[in-house]
Amino acid sequence: MSNGDSTVPLLAARDLTKAHGRTEALRGASVELRAGEILAVTGPSGSGKSTLLHCLAGIVSPDAGSVTYDGQRLDELPEKRLSELRRTDFGVVFQFGQLIPELTALDNVALPLMLAGAPRKDAQAAAGEWLERFGVRGQEALRPGELSGGQAQRAALARALVTGPKVVFADEPTGALDSLATEQVMTSLVHTAREAGAAVLLITHDAQVAAYADREVRLSDGAVLPAGVTA
Amino acid sequence: MIAMSTRHILLGLLASGPSHGYDLKRRHDERFPQARPLAYGQVYTTLQRLVRDGLAEVEGTDSDGGPERTTYRSTDDGARELAKWAGEIAPPAPFVTNEIFAKVVVSILSGGDADAYLAAQRAAHMQRMRELTAVKTAPGADLATVLSTDYALNHLDADLRWMTTTAARLTTLTAEVDAA
């Protein structure tokens, strides 16, 4: 696994199409993400943003087109290898962080490491460090329902980054937060991803959130708008 | 007429104690970091007008080894004027006059390409928002920087939302015209 040349995309989608029933969510969408880059994907509701993320993250398969990660086509990988890739190289955060409600913040963050075979004690030590990097210190023993929305999202980001992924997929990570909590979450995400050298694919409908990214691509009706075209 | 007023800002800076023109200019640029820097000439002209109107007075002069500098202080009338101005409501958008809005209207009236203009303007706004976000989130950014960038980002965001809505309206309008 290597992607030292920043001009070669780490992750690339080519001409993706995907329908949900009769609704065409993606109609020939192409996008590239370079190593370490923070890319915002914006567009109105129903433009295909989340479906694009799901295809790029290998969560769903496109009906046509290809997704290539670090030189490998995801659709050509055996399911076992794809699952492993999602666990080791990808981190995912959704609008509602989807932490496991029965586990403490610390155990939620430790879980991906434990699933990868790390001893509980080591996993918890690493999880504690990541929670601290995301400013959720002192809340390790709380369950998700006892955290504020911003703290829960930062814990979810810590969980997404704890395995050292090369790509973090964030689908409206601040969609349920007020402006100050949004700022804390985005500042944490950007600073931490840059430190870790992880690329971020950020789905958002909020221009102020998109402004944290290095670059923006805009979707409309399931396709990426060429530069210079409004929705 | 209540406006962003250099005289009131200088009175505000003098409220913390007597000061001379150079120091007032420097403190203005610190407190309003994303604003257009104040020109020295404007500072001195404004200070003279404040003295003329009884809102400030000369405290004294010193040279401190360099050129002679006049130190000013606020008067009681100046403090009252400042408090009055600071508490007065700024009229919320009394006139809708904005260059972007004007260009779109003129473009529609003259058969120009409003959509292409909006796309280019949108890209310029996003670029400026990225720059301001980087300034705001840089380690060690002070409160004045955070407040001023927040203000600018929220206004640029409002422009962007208006531009997005307008672009959608133009599309609908064009479709209606084409169907007619």
Side-chain angles (χ1 to χ4, degrees):
Chain A
M1 290 274 172
S2 66
N3 198 292
D5 183 353
S6 65
T7 60
V8 176
L10 177 64
L11 182 66
R14 300 257 181 276
D15 300 324
L16 295 187
T17 64
K18 178 72 183 174
H20 302 300
R22 289 184 179 179
T23 308
E24 284 186 293
L26 293 178
R27 296 198 279 195
S30 298
V31 66
E32 291 183 347
L33 180 69
R34 291 185 278 274
E37 179 183 37
I38 299 177
L39 175 69
V41 177
T42 64
S45 300
S47 57
K49 302 188 295 291
S50 291
T51 305
L52 177 64
L53 179 143
H54 291 153
C55 289
L56 284 165
I59 297 168
V60 300
S61 298
D63 297 334
S66 65
V67 176
T68 307
Y69 169 71
D70 208 11
Q72 327 162 72
R73 278 186 60 157
L74 294 189
D75 60 330
E76 291 174 353
L77 292 177
E79 180 52 38
K80 192 178 168 197
R81 174 72 191 114
L82 186 59
S83 296
E84 187 187 312
L85 196 66
R86 283 198 299 258
R87 206 171 54 236
T88 57
D89 285 35
F90 295 170
V92 183
V93 183
F94 297 101
Q95 179 171 351
F96 300 99
Q98 290 167 337
L99 297 172
I100 297 170
E102 292 80 10
L103 297 183
T104 63
L106 188 70
D107 283 337
N108 262 289
V109 179
L111 189 62
L113 294 173
M114 289 163 63
L115 289 174
R120 183 185 172 97
K121 200 175 160 189
D122 293 351
Q124 285 187 330
E129 285 172 22
W130 277 94
L131 281 169
E132 188 167 341
R133 287 169 87 164
F134 276 99
V136 196
R137 199 177 176 185
Q139 269 85 42
E140 295 90 341
L142 299 182
R143 289 183 165 72
E146 299 168 310
L147 299 172
S148 70
Q151 287 169 341
Q153 280 305 74
R154 282 181 279 149
L157 287 170
R159 187 179 63 177
L161 278 146
V162 71
T163 53
K166 293 202 174 72
V167 184
V168 175
F169 298 93
D171 190 354
E172 299 278 8
T174 59
L177 303 180
D178 64 33
S179 56
L180 286 181
T182 292
E183 184 177 303
Q184 288 173 343
V185 166
M186 287 309 304
T187 303
S188 297
L189 171 59
V190 167
H191 283 178
T192 311
R194 290 208 196 285
E195 268 178 24
V200 179
L201 187 106
L202 171 69
I203 303 284
T204 182
H205 67 278
D206 181 340
Q208 293 201 46
V209 170
Y212 283 84
D214 302 317
R215 188 163 67 89
E216 178 198 26
V217 295
R218 302 185 65 227
L219 277 188
S220 179
D221 289 333
V224 172
L225 287 169
V229 176
T230 47
Chain B
M1 180 65 192
I2 305 162
M4 171 82 177
S5 144
T6 304
R7 62 197 259 124
H8 291 105
I9 287 168
L10 290 187
L11 277 176
L13 293 172
L14 284 174
S16 57
S19 193
H20 54 77
Y22 175 80
D23 189 46
L24 288 167
K25 184 254 182 310
R26 185 183 56 77
R27 285 165 58 208
H28 168 274
D29 295 350
E30 272 175 15
R31 296 291 173 188
F32 301 92
Q34 305 299 320
R36 184 176 294 131
L38 209 50
Y40 288 110
Q42 194 183 358
V43 174
Y44 291 111
T45 309
T46 307
L47 283 169
Q48 283 161 10
R49 286 183 186 150
L50 288 173
V51 171
R52 179 197 68 195
D53 296 341
L55 302 177
E57 59 194 13
V58 172
E59 162 102 350
T61 55
D62 67 75
S63 63
D64 205 16
E68 191 171 84
R69 294 185 301 197
T70 304
T71 301
Y72 296 84
R73 68 166 172 243
S74 178
T75 63
D76 290 346
D77 279 353
R80 275 191 290 276
E81 171 61 23
L82 179 66
K84 179 169 163 277
W85 176 79
E88 277 177 328
I89 301 293
F95 302 104
V96 181
T97 51
N98 172 279
E99 187 176 346
I100 299 169
F101 171 62
K103 284 183 172 175
V104 170
V105 171
V106 166
S107 194
I108 292 169
L109 290 175
S110 62
D113 192 347
D115 204 41
Y117 165 68
L118 283 169
Q121 187 67 56
R122 189 188 183 287
H125 265 55
M126 277 308 301
Q127 178 56 34
R128 181 64 178 143
M129 287 177 76
R130 280 192 283 272
E131 290 166 9
L132 288 166
T133 301
V135 169
K136 182 171 89 163
T137 57
D142 61 16
L143 181 63
T145 299
V146 171
L147 292 180
S148 66
T149 49
D150 266 349
Y151 184 86
L153 283 163
N154 279 296
H155 282 74
L156 290 167
D157 191 17
D159 281 349
L160 270 183
R161 275 181 274 127
W162 179 81
M163 287 190 266
T164 302
T165 308
T166 301
R169 289 193 203 285
L170 290 176
T171 306
T172 310
L173 193 66
T174 307
E176 282 173 8
V177 170
D178 288 349

mmCIF file with all atom_site columns, all heavy atoms in Angstrom, chain A residues 26-48:
data_model
loop_
_atom_site.group_PDB
_atom_site.id
_atom_site.type_symbol
_atom_site.label_atom_id
_atom_site.label_alt_id
_atom_site.label_comp_id
_atom_site.label_asym_id
_atom_site.label_entity_id
_atom_site.label_seq_id
_atom_site.pdbx_PDB_ins_code
_atom_site.Cartn_x
_atom_site.Cartn_y
_atom_site.Cartn_z
_atom_site.occupancy
_atom_site.B_iso_or_equiv
_atom_site.pdbx_formal_charge
_atom_site.auth_seq_id
_atom_site.auth_comp_id
_atom_site.auth_asym_id
_atom_site.auth_atom_id
_atom_site.pdbx_PDB_model_num
ATOM 1   N N   . LEU A 1 26 ? -27.182 8.451  -8.687  1.00 0.00 ? 26 LEU A N   1
ATOM 2   C CA  . LEU A 1 26 ? -25.947 8.892  -9.343  1.00 0.00 ? 26 LEU A CA  1
ATOM 3   C C   . LEU A 1 26 ? -26.080 8.658  -10.839 1.00 0.00 ? 26 LEU A C   1
ATOM 4   O O   . LEU A 1 26 ? -26.523 7.587  -11.270 1.00 0.00 ? 26 LEU A O   1
ATOM 5   C CB  . LEU A 1 26 ? -24.733 8.119  -8.808  1.00 0.00 ? 26 LEU A CB  1
ATOM 6   C CG  . LEU A 1 26 ? -24.343 8.361  -7.356  1.00 0.00 ? 26 LEU A CG  1
ATOM 7   C CD1 . LEU A 1 26 ? -23.154 7.473  -6.972  1.00 0.00 ? 26 LEU A CD1 1
ATOM 8   C CD2 . LEU A 1 26 ? -24.009 9.830  -7.094  1.00 0.00 ? 26 LEU A CD2 1
ATOM 9   N N   . ARG A 1 27 ? -25.690 9.681  -11.599 1.00 0.00 ? 27 ARG A N   1
ATOM 10  C CA  . ARG A 1 27 ? -25.790 9.568  -13.054 1.00 0.00 ? 27 ARG A CA  1
ATOM 11  C C   . ARG A 1 27 ? -24.469 9.993  -13.691 1.00 0.00 ? 27 ARG A C   1
ATOM 12  O O   . ARG A 1 27 ? -24.307 11.135 -14.133 1.00 0.00 ? 27 ARG A O   1
ATOM 13  C CB  . ARG A 1 27 ? -26.923 10.467 -13.569 1.00 0.00 ? 27 ARG A CB  1
ATOM 14  C CG  . ARG A 1 27 ? -28.262 9.984  -13.035 1.00 0.00 ? 27 ARG A CG  1
ATOM 15  C CD  . ARG A 1 27 ? -29.402 10.539 -13.816 1.00 0.00 ? 27 ARG A CD  1
ATOM 16  N NE  . ARG A 1 27 ? -29.725 11.896 -13.396 1.00 0.00 ? 27 ARG A NE  1
ATOM 17  C CZ  . ARG A 1 27 ? -30.867 12.505 -13.712 1.00 0.00 ? 27 ARG A CZ  1
ATOM 18  N NH1 . ARG A 1 27 ? -31.744 11.907 -14.478 1.00 0.00 ? 27 ARG A NH1 1
ATOM 19  N NH2 . ARG A 1 27 ? -31.102 13.714 -13.294 1.00 0.00 ? 27 ARG A NH2 1
ATOM 20  N N   . GLY A 1 28 ? -23.485 9.119  -13.581 1.00 0.00 ? 28 GLY A N   1
ATOM 21  C CA  . GLY A 1 28 ? -22.184 9.402  -14.214 1.00 0.00 ? 28 GLY A CA  1
ATOM 22  C C   . GLY A 1 28 ? -21.295 10.308 -13.376 1.00 0.00 ? 28 GLY A C   1
ATOM 23  O O   . GLY A 1 28 ? -20.622 11.183 -13.923 1.00 0.00 ? 28 GLY A O   1
ATOM 24  N N   . ALA A 1 29 ? -21.291 10.103 -12.055 1.00 0.00 ? 29 ALA A N   1
ATOM 25  C CA  . ALA A 1 29 ? -20.474 10.954 -11.182 1.00 0.00 ? 29 ALA A CA  1
ATOM 26  C C   . ALA A 1 29 ? -19.021 10.488 -11.173 1.00 0.00 ? 29 ALA A C   1
ATOM 27  O O   . ALA A 1 29 ? -18.746 9.294  -11.048 1.00 0.00 ? 29 ALA A O   1
ATOM 28  C CB  . ALA A 1 29 ? -21.034 10.929 -9.759  1.00 0.00 ? 29 ALA A CB  1
ATOM 29  N N   . SER A 1 30 ? -18.115 11.434 -11.316 1.00 0.00 ? 30 SER A N   1
ATOM 30  C CA  . SER A 1 30 ? -16.675 11.141 -11.242 1.00 0.00 ? 30 SER A CA  1
ATOM 31  C C   . SER A 1 30 ? -16.036 12.106 -10.254 1.00 0.00 ? 30 SER A C   1
ATOM 32  O O   . SER A 1 30 ? -16.327 13.307 -10.291 1.00 0.00 ? 30 SER A O   1
ATOM 33  C CB  . SER A 1 30 ? -16.000 11.319 -12.604 1.00 0.00 ? 30 SER A CB  1
ATOM 34  O OG  . SER A 1 30 ? -16.544 10.415 -13.538 1.00 0.00 ? 30 SER A OG  1
ATOM 35  N N   . VAL A 1 31 ? -15.171 11.575 -9.401  1.00 0.00 ? 31 VAL A N   1
ATOM 36  C CA  . VAL A 1 31 ? -14.509 12.438 -8.421  1.00 0.00 ? 31 VAL A CA  1
ATOM 37  C C   . VAL A 1 31 ? -13.187 11.794 -8.017  1.00 0.00 ? 31 VAL A C   1
ATOM 38  O O   . VAL A 1 31 ? -13.043 10.568 -8.076  1.00 0.00 ? 31 VAL A O   1
ATOM 39  C CB  . VAL A 1 31 ? -15.442 12.669 -7.200  1.00 0.00 ? 31 VAL A CB  1
ATOM 40  C CG1 . VAL A 1 31 ? -15.684 11.394 -6.417  1.00 0.00 ? 31 VAL A CG1 1
ATOM 41  C CG2 . VAL A 1 31 ? -14.922 13.752 -6.278  1.00 0.00 ? 31 VAL A CG2 1
ATOM 42  N N   . GLU A 1 32 ? -12.224 12.628 -7.656  1.00 0.00 ? 32 GLU A N   1
ATOM 43  C CA  . GLU A 1 32 ? -10.915 12.113 -7.229  1.00 0.00 ? 32 GLU A CA  1
ATOM 44  C C   . GLU A 1 32 ? -10.536 12.719 -5.889  1.00 0.00 ? 32 GLU A C   1
ATOM 45  O O   . GLU A 1 32 ? -10.794 13.901 -5.646  1.00 0.00 ? 32 GLU A O   1
ATOM 46  C CB  . GLU A 1 32 ? -9.829  12.501 -8.249  1.00 0.00 ? 32 GLU A CB  1
ATOM 47  C CG  . GLU A 1 32 ? -9.968  11.795 -9.585  1.00 0.00 ? 32 GLU A CG  1
ATOM 48  C CD  . GLU A 1 32 ? -8.831  12.150 -10.535 1.00 0.00 ? 32 GLU A CD  1
ATOM 49  O OE1 . GLU A 1 32 ? -8.085  13.113 -10.241 1.00 0.00 ? 32 GLU A OE1 1
ATOM 50  O OE2 . GLU A 1 32 ? -8.697  11.458 -11.560 1.00 0.00 ? 32 GLU A OE2 1
ATOM 51  N N   . LEU A 1 33 ? -9.916  11.897 -5.053  1.00 0.00 ? 33 LEU A N   1
ATOM 52  C CA  . LEU A 1 33 ? -9.427  12.352 -3.749  1.00 0.00 ? 33 LEU A CA  1
ATOM 53  C C   . LEU A 1 33 ? -7.944  12.011 -3.666  1.00 0.00 ? 33 LEU A C   1
ATOM 54  O O   . LEU A 1 33 ? -7.560  10.854 -3.851  1.00 0.00 ? 33 LEU A O   1
ATOM 55  C CB  . LEU A 1 33 ? -10.201 11.629 -2.629  1.00 0.00 ? 33 LEU A CB  1
ATOM 56  C CG  . LEU A 1 33 ? -9.832  11.968 -1.189  1.00 0.00 ? 33 LEU A CG  1
ATOM 57  C CD1 . LEU A 1 33 ? -10.248 13.397 -0.835  1.00 0.00 ? 33 LEU A CD1 1
ATOM 58  C CD2 . LEU A 1 33 ? -10.495 10.988 -0.226  1.00 0.00 ? 33 LEU A CD2 1
ATOM 59  N N   . ARG A 1 34 ? -7.125  13.027 -3.412  1.00 0.00 ? 34 ARG A N   1
ATOM 60  C CA  . ARG A 1 34 ? -5.689  12.778 -3.308  1.00 0.00 ? 34 ARG A CA  1
ATOM 61  C C   . ARG A 1 34 ? -5.311  12.478 -1.854  1.00 0.00 ? 34 ARG A C   1
ATOM 62  O O   . ARG A 1 34 ? -6.028  12.852 -0.933  1.00 0.00 ? 34 ARG A O   1
ATOM 63  C CB  . ARG A 1 34 ? -4.918  13.998 -3.820  1.00 0.00 ? 34 ARG A CB  1
ATOM 64  C CG  . ARG A 1 34 ? -5.079  14.183 -5.331  1.00 0.00 ? 34 ARG A CG  1
ATOM 65  C CD  . ARG A 1 34 ? -4.223  15.315 -5.860  1.00 0.00 ? 34 ARG A CD  1
ATOM 66  N NE  . ARG A 1 34 ? -4.854  16.604 -5.654  1.00 0.00 ? 34 ARG A NE  1
ATOM 67  C CZ  . ARG A 1 34 ? -5.735  17.166 -6.482  1.00 0.00 ? 34 ARG A CZ  1
ATOM 68  N NH1 . ARG A 1 34 ? -6.105  16.538 -7.578  1.00 0.00 ? 34 ARG A NH1 1
ATOM 69  N NH2 . ARG A 1 34 ? -6.256  18.343 -6.222  1.00 0.00 ? 34 ARG A NH2 1
ATOM 70  N N   . ALA A 1 35 ? -4.156  11.826 -1.670  1.00 0.00 ? 35 ALA A N   1
ATOM 71  C CA  . ALA A 1 35 ? -3.699  11.479 -0.317  1.00 0.00 ? 35 ALA A CA  1
ATOM 72  C C   . ALA A 1 35 ? -3.574  12.748 0.521   1.00 0.00 ? 35 ALA A C   1
ATOM 73  O O   . ALA A 1 35 ? -3.003  13.742 0.065   1.00 0.00 ? 35 ALA A O   1
ATOM 74  C CB  . ALA A 1 35 ? -2.362  10.760 -0.397  1.00 0.00 ? 35 ALA A CB  1
ATOM 75  N N   . GLY A 1 36 ? -4.140  12.727 1.725   1.00 0.00 ? 36 GLY A N   1
ATOM 76  C CA  . GLY A 1 36 ? -4.016  13.854 2.642   1.00 0.00 ? 36 GLY A CA  1
ATOM 77  C C   . GLY A 1 36 ? -4.897  15.041 2.317   1.00 0.00 ? 36 GLY A C   1
ATOM 78  O O   . GLY A 1 36 ? -4.892  16.038 3.047   1.00 0.00 ? 36 GLY A O   1
ATOM 79  N N   . GLU A 1 37 ? -5.672  14.936 1.249   1.00 0.00 ? 37 GLU A N   1
ATOM 80  C CA  . GLU A 1 37 ? -6.511  16.071 0.834   1.00 0.00 ? 37 GLU A CA  1
ATOM 81  C C   . GLU A 1 37 ? -7.833  16.085 1.605   1.00 0.00 ? 37 GLU A C   1
ATOM 82  O O   . GLU A 1 37 ? -8.389  15.030 1.919   1.00 0.00 ? 37 GLU A O   1
ATOM 83  C CB  . GLU A 1 37 ? -6.814  15.949 -0.665  1.00 0.00 ? 37 GLU A CB  1
ATOM 84  C CG  . GLU A 1 37 ? -7.691  17.058 -1.204  1.00 0.00 ? 37 GLU A CG  1
ATOM 85  C CD  . GLU A 1 37 ? -8.045  16.870 -2.683  1.00 0.00 ? 37 GLU A CD  1
ATOM 86  O OE1 . GLU A 1 37 ? -8.263  15.716 -3.106  1.00 0.00 ? 37 GLU A OE1 1
ATOM 87  O OE2 . GLU A 1 37 ? -8.105  17.870 -3.398  1.00 0.00 ? 37 GLU A OE2 1
ATOM 88  N N   . ILE A 1 38 ? -8.335  17.273 1.875   1.00 0.00 ? 38 ILE A N   1
ATOM 89  C CA  . ILE A 1 38 ? -9.664  17.391 2.473   1.00 0.00 ? 38 ILE A CA  1
ATOM 90  C C   . ILE A 1 38 ? -10.587 17.944 1.389   1.00 0.00 ? 38 ILE A C   1
ATOM 91  O O   . ILE A 1 38 ? -10.403 19.064 0.913   1.00 0.00 ? 38 ILE A O   1
ATOM 92  C CB  . ILE A 1 38 ? -9.644  18.290 3.720   1.00 0.00 ? 38 ILE A CB  1
ATOM 93  C CG1 . ILE A 1 38 ? -8.708  17.674 4.761   1.00 0.00 ? 38 ILE A CG1 1
ATOM 94  C CG2 . ILE A 1 38 ? -11.065 18.467 4.279   1.00 0.00 ? 38 ILE A CG2 1
ATOM 95  C CD1 . ILE A 1 38 ? -8.526  18.480 6.011   1.00 0.00 ? 38 ILE A CD1 1
ATOM 96  N N   . LEU A 1 39 ? -11.517 17.107 0.969   1.00 0.00 ? 39 LEU A N   1
ATOM 97  C CA  . LEU A 1 39 ? -12.394 17.449 -0.153  1.00 0.00 ? 39 LEU A CA  1
ATOM 98  C C   . LEU A 1 39 ? -13.841 17.544 0.336   1.00 0.00 ? 39 LEU A C   1
ATOM 99  O O   . LEU A 1 39 ? -14.345 16.612 0.963   1.00 0.00 ? 39 LEU A O   1
ATOM 100 C CB  . LEU A 1 39 ? -12.295 16.363 -1.232  1.00 0.00 ? 39 LEU A CB  1
ATOM 101 C CG  . LEU A 1 39 ? -13.247 16.523 -2.420  1.00 0.00 ? 39 LEU A CG  1
ATOM 102 C CD1 . LEU A 1 39 ? -12.858 17.727 -3.277  1.00 0.00 ? 39 LEU A CD1 1
ATOM 103 C CD2 . LEU A 1 39 ? -13.259 15.256 -3.275  1.00 0.00 ? 39 LEU A CD2 1
ATOM 104 N N   . ALA A 1 40 ? -14.473 18.659 0.040   1.00 0.00 ? 40 ALA A N   1
ATOM 105 C CA  . ALA A 1 40 ? -15.892 18.808 0.383   1.00 0.00 ? 40 ALA A CA  1
ATOM 106 C C   . ALA A 1 40 ? -16.732 18.451 -0.835  1.00 0.00 ? 40 ALA A C   1
ATOM 107 O O   . ALA A 1 40 ? -16.441 18.893 -1.950  1.00 0.00 ? 40 ALA A O   1
ATOM 108 C CB  . ALA A 1 40 ? -16.181 20.249 0.804   1.00 0.00 ? 40 ALA A CB  1
ATOM 109 N N   . VAL A 1 41 ? -17.754 17.643 -0.614  1.00 0.00 ? 41 VAL A N   1
ATOM 110 C CA  . VAL A 1 41 ? -18.733 17.350 -1.662  1.00 0.00 ? 41 VAL A CA  1
ATOM 111 C C   . VAL A 1 41 ? -20.035 18.016 -1.234  1.00 0.00 ? 41 VAL A C   1
ATOM 112 O O   . VAL A 1 41 ? -20.587 17.683 -0.179  1.00 0.00 ? 41 VAL A O   1
ATOM 113 C CB  . VAL A 1 41 ? -18.940 15.833 -1.843  1.00 0.00 ? 41 VAL A CB  1
ATOM 114 C CG1 . VAL A 1 41 ? -20.007 15.567 -2.894  1.00 0.00 ? 41 VAL A CG1 1
ATOM 115 C CG2 . VAL A 1 41 ? -17.632 15.165 -2.226  1.00 0.00 ? 41 VAL A CG2 1
ATOM 116 N N   . THR A 1 42 ? -20.461 19.000 -2.011  1.00 0.00 ? 42 THR A N   1
ATOM 117 C CA  . THR A 1 42 ? -21.650 19.762 -1.635  1.00 0.00 ? 42 THR A CA  1
ATOM 118 C C   . THR A 1 42 ? -22.725 19.606 -2.702  1.00 0.00 ? 42 THR A C   1
ATOM 119 O O   . THR A 1 42 ? -22.460 19.090 -3.795  1.00 0.00 ? 42 THR A O   1
ATOM 120 C CB  . THR A 1 42 ? -21.322 21.260 -1.471  1.00 0.00 ? 42 THR A CB  1
ATOM 121 O OG1 . THR A 1 42 ? -20.915 21.780 -2.742  1.00 0.00 ? 42 THR A OG1 1
ATOM 122 C CG2 . THR A 1 42 ? -20.203 21.489 -0.473  1.00 0.00 ? 42 THR A CG2 1
ATOM 123 N N   . GLY A 1 43 ? -23.905 20.074 -2.374  1.00 0.00 ? 43 GLY A N   1
ATOM 124 C CA  . GLY A 1 43 ? -25.002 19.996 -3.334  1.00 0.00 ? 43 GLY A CA  1
ATOM 125 C C   . GLY A 1 43 ? -26.315 19.951 -2.580  1.00 0.00 ? 43 GLY A C   1
ATOM 126 O O   . GLY A 1 43 ? -26.336 19.660 -1.382  1.00 0.00 ? 43 GLY A O   1
ATOM 127 N N   . PRO A 1 44 ? -27.406 20.232 -3.281  1.00 0.00 ? 44 PRO A N   1
ATOM 128 C CA  . PRO A 1 44 ? -28.701 20.252 -2.605  1.00 0.00 ? 44 PRO A CA  1
ATOM 129 C C   . PRO A 1 44 ? -29.137 18.858 -2.151  1.00 0.00 ? 44 PRO A C   1
ATOM 130 O O   . PRO A 1 44 ? -28.553 17.849 -2.570  1.00 0.00 ? 44 PRO A O   1
ATOM 131 C CB  . PRO A 1 44 ? -29.655 20.802 -3.676  1.00 0.00 ? 44 PRO A CB  1
ATOM 132 C CG  . PRO A 1 44 ? -28.955 20.614 -4.969  1.00 0.00 ? 44 PRO A CG  1
ATOM 133 C CD  . PRO A 1 44 ? -27.490 20.586 -4.697  1.00 0.00 ? 44 PRO A CD  1
ATOM 134 N N   . SER A 1 45 ? -30.156 18.796 -1.299  1.00 0.00 ? 45 SER A N   1
ATOM 135 C CA  . SER A 1 45 ? -30.708 17.517 -0.852  1.00 0.00 ? 45 SER A CA  1
ATOM 136 C C   . SER A 1 45 ? -31.116 16.700 -2.066  1.00 0.00 ? 45 SER A C   1
ATOM 137 O O   . SER A 1 45 ? -31.671 17.238 -3.024  1.00 0.00 ? 45 SER A O   1
ATOM 138 C CB  . SER A 1 45 ? -31.945 17.747 0.017   1.00 0.00 ? 45 SER A CB  1
ATOM 139 O OG  . SER A 1 45 ? -31.597 18.511 1.126   1.00 0.00 ? 45 SER A OG  1
ATOM 140 N N   . GLY A 1 46 ? -30.814 15.399 -2.036  1.00 0.00 ? 46 GLY A N   1
ATOM 141 C CA  . GLY A 1 46 ? -31.213 14.535 -3.141  1.00 0.00 ? 46 GLY A CA  1
ATOM 142 C C   . GLY A 1 46 ? -30.289 14.601 -4.341  1.00 0.00 ? 46 GLY A C   1
ATOM 143 O O   . GLY A 1 46 ? -30.587 14.020 -5.389  1.00 0.00 ? 46 GLY A O   1
ATOM 144 N N   . SER A 1 47 ? -29.141 15.284 -4.207  1.00 0.00 ? 47 SER A N   1
ATOM 145 C CA  . SER A 1 47 ? -28.241 15.392 -5.365  1.00 0.00 ? 47 SER A CA  1
ATOM 146 C C   . SER A 1 47 ? -27.332 14.175 -5.501  1.00 0.00 ? 47 SER A C   1
ATOM 147 O O   . SER A 1 47 ? -26.589 14.070 -6.479  1.00 0.00 ? 47 SER A O   1
ATOM 148 C CB  . SER A 1 47 ? -27.408 16.678 -5.272  1.00 0.00 ? 47 SER A CB  1
ATOM 149 O OG  . SER A 1 47 ? -26.681 16.704 -4.066  1.00 0.00 ? 47 SER A OG  1
ATOM 150 N N   . GLY A 1 48 ? -27.366 13.272 -4.516  1.00 0.00 ? 48 GLY A N   1
ATOM 151 C CA  . GLY A 1 48 ? -26.569 12.043 -4.629  1.00 0.00 ? 48 GLY A CA  1
ATOM 152 C C   . GLY A 1 48 ? -25.320 12.018 -3.771  1.00 0.00 ? 48 GLY A C   1
ATOM 153 O O   . GLY A 1 48 ? -24.497 11.111 -3.902  1.00 0.00 ? 48 GLY A O   1
#
